[in-house]
Amino acid sequence: MSRDRTAERLDHAASTVRTGIAAACLRLQAAADAVAVVPSGDRGNVVGQLVKRGLATDIRIDGTAPPATGDCASPAPHFGNTPMNTISARAVTGDVVVTAEQSVDTAFMDRLEAAGGTEVTFTSTEQPDGERRELIPQTGQPLALTLTVPPSEPTFLYVVLPVAVLVAALAAVLVARRLAHSTTRPLGDLAWAADRVADGELDTRVPIPHPDELGRLAATFNRMTRELQAYVQALTASRDQLRGHLAILGETLSSTHDLHRILQVILRTALAATGARAGLVLLIDRPTGELVAQCGIGLAGRWDVPESELPEQRLPVGEGVLGAVAASGEPRRGRGELASAEPPCRTYVAVPICAPGVPEEPGDPVPFPETLGVLALYDRVGGDAFDDSDLSTLRTFAGQAGVAVHNVRMHEEAQRLSLTDPLTGLWNYRYLRESLRREVERASRFGRMLAVLVLDLDHFKDVNDTYGHAAGDAVLGEFARRIRIGLREVDVAFRQGGEEFVVLLPETDAYGGAIVAERLGAAVRDRPVVVEGTQIPISVSIGVAVFPEHGENSPQVLAAADRALYAAKRAGRDTFRLAEPGDVTKSVVSPGDHEGDFHPTTAVPTGTRPPQHRRGR
């Protein structure tokens, strides 16, 4: 420790002495420069002023320095035992040489010793005893000096330390015996209780002998066992419930097709893996040829919008960095080269999201993967640019995103094909049963009404026989289009099969169902369907039933509407009929209000309409 402190003291003294001599050299150089720049006639006065102010001991003009002078600018190695008497600095102007000198006398050396806190002497063969540090002449410090710290011999310390150690050891033995006596039994009790708890006996408690640290430890142990016992009892009671939740969770995770949620998880994982500040996922909208933002984190500028408004941000494919990645399928990374329409950043890395290549037939070559979008990260935390490892990591996440997007789209397409009619684009009979059951349950829960319309094109077989099945398909497609146009957003249309269709009208009573039936009948009858220049006149018969008037459940309501349809056909077609209520005493519709015919010009039924309810259309 003494040697380390001596070395630190010498280091500090060496730095201080060098700084002091360097300051003196700078002061001499400034004095020489000041004399050199004034006119020759004024140099004598300037010299006197500078010497008087103590900036130099002597200033010589066109003179040479004494033999034992150290030049601040070009110090010479020190040989022999003769010390330097002065240090000097020169300034040359034209053919005039100005030399400013500073005497290295006892006062000068005393100032250095006071500043450094050590003994300062000229380097010689005979040096005082003690730790030394030699300063070699160099630019700005032309003196060869030796810094000395007197030796220290802490003999007294060497005597005190063993005595202190022995006293401390004796005290430690005494204290240890006391502590052992006072803590052995409580610690034994704690060890015994811990063994019993480890064996499952959670009702074990430890006595608290004194309110000291061991007492607090025992109280904490008892509280821990009580809480642990309560936790175990709660866990045991909810074990079956937890198993059920785990089963549901596993099924949900294995069958989720929430694309937005999947992309968010992938983006957050990519940000955590690469240390990026912000990220963005965009997918290509094929109809418009644009990149549409799906989810983003930490974006700035005009991209800093609520998540619900993020899909409004679009970028053309082929323009800018992200558009180029989407167009070429090649990843890119760099610094601040993004277009003005893209999120602002310092560094970025962007990779394409590609669908997995699947050959059409076994043995066929794997097709080139289709680009579905772009995954981009911005500004790694810490300021470093993204490297190749980040690019490789992001490729992995982009591959996962591509598989997720591809699977979700395939699932949506399969679901759409399984639930929609390919000819008309309406929902099919399979989805009709589920939708009708759900709407009936909702109407029953909230005390609402639900109108069900069953529509059938009149004489459709004659259309196929006369104009061909292709024309019949065109008629069905146009009929479905007119149905969609005549409905609200909450209304749902289905193709039940052949030329028969079903329409669900939520929160609609018999009066509202009759109005919709009139409007659909007029829309079908008033405009013939044109197929390859041929006008094909069509009409429709409609049966109307209302829940809960005409049935207590979905099959009963649908069957009532179907019976009303056949009543309309028996009445001559091109009309509608309202179903007979299952229990007339419960219905507000009189038996005479169940007939209606489409007026050829106004589409108003000739019979009376059912009364309108306060709820519904």
Side-chain angles (χ1 to χ4, degrees), residues 366-427:
V366 177
F368 187 79
E370 176 191 6
T371 301
L372 303 177
V374 177
L375 172 59
L377 301 182
Y378 304 103
D379 296 340
R380 184 211 295 273
V381 176
D384 298 332
F386 295 97
D387 52 24
D388 292 337
S389 63
D390 298 320
L391 186 60
S392 177
T393 302
L394 198 58
R395 280 179 176 271
T396 302
F397 290 113
Q400 296 175 353
V403 173
V405 174
H406 178 73
N407 290 343
V408 169
R409 290 182 175 177
M410 293 293 292
H411 173 76
E412 291 176 349
E413 180 63 16
Q415 188 177 35
R416 186 188 66 81
L417 292 176
S418 67
L419 299 178
T420 58
D421 175 58
L423 177 61
T424 62
L426 300 179
W427 300 108

Side-chain angles (χ1 to χ4, degrees), residues 219-241:
T220 303
F221 180 86
N222 294 338
R223 187 173 68 253
M224 179 191 69
T225 54
R226 285 194 299 269
E227 293 181 358
L228 183 60
Q229 187 177 16
Y231 292 153
V232 171
Q233 292 174 352
L235 289 175
T236 303
S238 62
R239 180 177 55 190
D240 295 338
Q241 183 179 4

Side-chain angles (χ1 to χ4, degrees), residues 30-53:
D33 291 339
V35 174
V37 298
V38 299
S40 58
D42 297 334
R43 287 173 181 165
N45 294 331
V46 174
V47 168
Q49 291 292 331
L50 295 176
V51 172
K52 183 178 179 181
R53 293 177 179 272

Side-chain angles (χ1 to χ4, degrees), residues 518-587:
E518 295 174 15
R519 184 167 63 247
L520 294 179
V524 172
R525 180 188 62 256
D526 291 347
R527 291 176 295 162
V529 179
V530 179
V531 179
E532 296 182 355
T534 303
Q535 292 188 350
I536 303 176
I538 59 175
S539 62
V540 63
S541 298
I542 303 176
V544 182
V546 178
F547 172 84
E549 294 182 10
H550 304 125
E552 298 179 352
N553 51 44
S554 57
Q556 292 180 5
V557 175
L558 185 61
D562 199 55
R563 290 192 298 270
L565 169 66
Y566 282 100
K569 286 184 173 292
R570 287 192 300 270
R573 293 182 171 84
D574 192 16
T575 184
F576 78 92
R577 287 292 182 270
L578 184 65
E580 294 289 340
D583 187 354
V584 178
T585 61
K586 296 181 180 180
S587 175

Side-chain angles (χ1 to χ4, degrees), residues 170-184:
L170 180 60
V173 170
L174 296 176
V175 172
R177 288 177 60 86
R178 176 62 180 173
L179 290 176
H181 179 73
S182 61
T183 59
T184 299

